[in-house]
Amino acid sequence: SILDVGCNAGAVSLRAAFLGASQVVGIDINNERISVGNEISRFIGLSGSVRLVTGSVVDAKLLSEQGTFDSCFCLAVSGRMGDEKGFLTELCKLVRETLYFESNHSPEGYEKYIALFNELGFPNVEYKGSTTEGFPIRHSLVAKRNNK
């Protein structure tokens, strides 16, 4: 099962379902993007396994209502949060195995995310690189709860 936080029109969500994920939930604040994603999902026959929801990813109640997931994609949304640590703390409660994470804007080094994910129960964190061209600094990491 997959949670896609800040899913836009659901491209990652749809791809995960296409590749066999049995349950996929995508959340984005933009209702127009969610509507487009749901229309695409119906058109390609994936609406049975993909649910795209309009809402704020900082709404802890909305997040917790979605259940827990094997994996989560949180790509370029965390820097928009007022309380990034609080947001990631709540998000990590929903992830059983793996978090694919990309910071949205972080002038600090990626080491802060490794330390935070370790603190939140993900002892295995792999730094995948940083992007600075055309974007604010973005750090990409994969955090795992175990060695799988």
Side-chain angles (χ1 to χ4, degrees):
S1 58
I2 305 287
L3 175 63
D4 185 5
V5 176
C7 69
N8 202 319
V12 171
S13 297
L14 294 169
R15 183 71 175 159
F18 179 77
L19 292 173
S22 60
Q23 175 197 9
V24 182
V25 174
I27 300 174
D28 199 279
I29 199 164
N30 187 312
N31 188 52
E32 290 176 13
R33 292 178 186 150
I34 292 296
S35 293
V36 167
N38 281 322
E39 182 62 31
I40 293 168
S41 179
R42 281 188 293 278
F43 179 75
I44 62 177
L46 292 174
S47 58
S49 57
V50 176
R51 187 165 48 93
L52 302 179
V53 179
T54 302
S56 173
V57 298
V58 296
D59 182 344
K61 183 175 185 271
L62 173 67
L63 283 176
S64 67
E65 288 171 349
Q66 307 311 311
T68 59
F69 298 84
D70 297 322
S71 297
C72 175
F73 292 93
C74 180
L75 307 176
V77 297
S78 69
R80 299 178 190 159
M81 312 303 138
D83 176 13
E84 184 178 49
K85 182 177 181 179
F87 163 70
L88 291 172
T89 298
E90 291 304 312
L91 182 64
C92 286
K93 292 176 184 176
L94 308 179
V95 182
R96 291 187 293 265
E97 293 296 328
T98 306
L99 172 64
Y100 299 90
F101 175 79
E102 181 182 71
S103 66
N104 189 40
H105 174 71
S106 179
E108 300 154 338
Y110 64 88
E111 296 87 356
K112 85 170 194 174
Y113 294 107
I114 291 175
L116 178 59
F117 291 135
N118 286 168
E119 177 185 325
L120 295 173
F122 292 84
N124 303 303
V125 182
E126 184 179 353
Y127 171 67
K128 295 294 191 175
S130 297
T131 302
T132 58
E133 293 184 31
F135 297 102
I137 297 172
R138 292 183 177 185
H139 304 297
S140 297
L141 300 100
V142 176
K144 296 183 177 187
R145 291 207 185 269
N146 56 46
N147 289 320
K148 291 183 183 177

